[in-house]
């Protein structure tokens, strides 16, 4: 069975992935573990495609995946899914609070722009959120009507270290803030945002 075969070799297979690919693999495996059956099947399919792209062409696992799937697609029965979820729940590298995982999913539901829609995508203070398909998106509240990064947002993102901890920064922007008596992302031009962000650092 392909699922059991891959699970037995998962640590070895993941050693073939560079850091960005491993981060994507973690997200996909977390979706397999936590999402509904249909979404889990899609995530499993994407994970298999990720392995095929990164394994050497003559690697036996890559050949096994191709041989077993053929044109049938990555079938994943309820029993297979249960086996996967039980195994993934015991992997230390995939230890995650389900509430945190769901919070990240919710963040990606906010209005966003992809890299091609952002006027200056290389600005270092931009907040980018990685998606499960390997792309990244920028929450739309960061920009003015002309598509430029708002000065207040630039300053706050620098304080929050958005480049190093994008999820933490996004959580701050989209969470309730007592100092502002509201959600920071709803008033991205508020001058008090910088003070509120600095207060967070003082509390750490």
């Amino acid at each position: 069975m392909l699922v059991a075969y891959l699970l037995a070799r998962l640590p070895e297979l993941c050693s073939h992935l560079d850091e960005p690919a491993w981060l994507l693999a973690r997200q996909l495996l977390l979706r397999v573990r936590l999402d509904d059956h249909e979404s889990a099947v899609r995530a499993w399919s994407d994970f298999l495609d990720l392995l095929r792209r990164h394994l050497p062409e003559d690697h036996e696992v890559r050949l096994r995946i191709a041989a077993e799937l053929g044109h049938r697609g990555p079938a994943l029965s309820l029993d297979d899914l249960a086996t996967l979820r039980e195994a993934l729940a015991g992997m230390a590298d995939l230890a995650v609070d389900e509430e945190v995982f769901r919070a990240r999913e919710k963040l990606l539901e906010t209005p966003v722009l992809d890299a091609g829609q952002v006027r200056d995508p290389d600005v270092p203070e931009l907040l980018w959120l990685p998606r499960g398909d390997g792309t990244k998106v920028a929450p739309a509240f960061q920009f003015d009507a002309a598509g430029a990064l708002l000065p207040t947002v630039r300053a706050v993102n620098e304080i929050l270290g958005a480049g190093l901890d994008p999820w933490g920064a996004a959580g701050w922007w989209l969470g309730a803030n007592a100092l502002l008596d509201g959600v920071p992302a709803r008033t991205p031009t508020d001058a008090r945002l910088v003070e509120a962000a600095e207060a967070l650092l003082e509390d750490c």
Side-chain angles (χ1 to χ4, degrees):
M1 186 173 67
L2 183 60
V3 168
Y5 174 76
L6 291 179
L7 281 174
R9 305 191 60 173
L10 198 55
E12 171 211 338
L13 297 177
C14 289
S15 70
H16 288 275
L17 306 179
D18 56 23
E19 185 173 355
W22 169 233
L23 290 175
L24 175 56
R26 284 186 79 249
Q27 287 186 334
L28 293 172
L29 291 175
L30 284 170
R31 295 194 70 91
V32 172
R33 176 184 159 193
L34 299 173
D35 275 2
D36 60 60
H37 184 226
E38 183 178 349
S39 297
V41 169
R42 288 198 300 268
W44 182 243
S45 172
D46 290 341
F47 176 69
L48 296 182
D49 285 340
L50 183 70
L51 287 180
R52 284 190 281 190
R53 291 199 305 272
H54 285 82
L55 291 173
E57 289 188 7
D58 59 348
H59 195 287
E60 62 177 290
V61 172
R62 178 173 176 168
L63 298 175
R64 174 77 177 266
I65 292 173
E68 292 213 14
L69 295 184
H71 299 292
R72 293 184 295 106
L76 193 62
S77 68
L78 290 175
D79 287 341
D80 287 341
L81 182 57
T83 299
L84 266 173
R85 286 178 168 167
E86 182 178 357
L88 295 175
M91 290 181 60
D93 285 344
L94 294 177
V96 65
D97 184 329
E98 183 170 352
E99 189 174 326
V100 173
F101 179 78
R102 295 301 179 197
R104 291 187 175 190
E105 293 295 291
K106 186 175 182 179
L107 289 176
L108 288 174
E109 293 174 2
T110 63
V112 294
L113 303 177
D114 62 34
Q117 296 173 304
V118 175
R119 194 169 78 180
D120 299 308
D122 296 324
V123 173
E125 294 83 10
L126 261 176
L127 168 60
W128 290 101
L129 299 178
R131 307 186 86 159
D133 60 1
T135 61
K136 61 182 181 179
V137 291
F141 66 78
Q142 301 179 95
F143 308 100
D144 63 19
L149 182 63
L150 292 164
T152 307
V153 172
R154 181 192 296 265
V156 169
N157 282 348
E158 185 173 10
I159 294 169
L160 297 177
L164 298 175
D165 182 15
W167 293 112
W172 184 89
W173 276 109
L174 295 168
N177 187 283
L179 182 61
L180 301 171
D181 192 26
V183 176
R186 294 177 182 169
T187 55
T189 59
D190 191 329
R192 297 176 300 162
L193 285 169
V194 173
E195 179 185 353
E198 291 174 339
L200 175 68
L201 297 184
E202 292 172 0
D203 292 339
C204 294

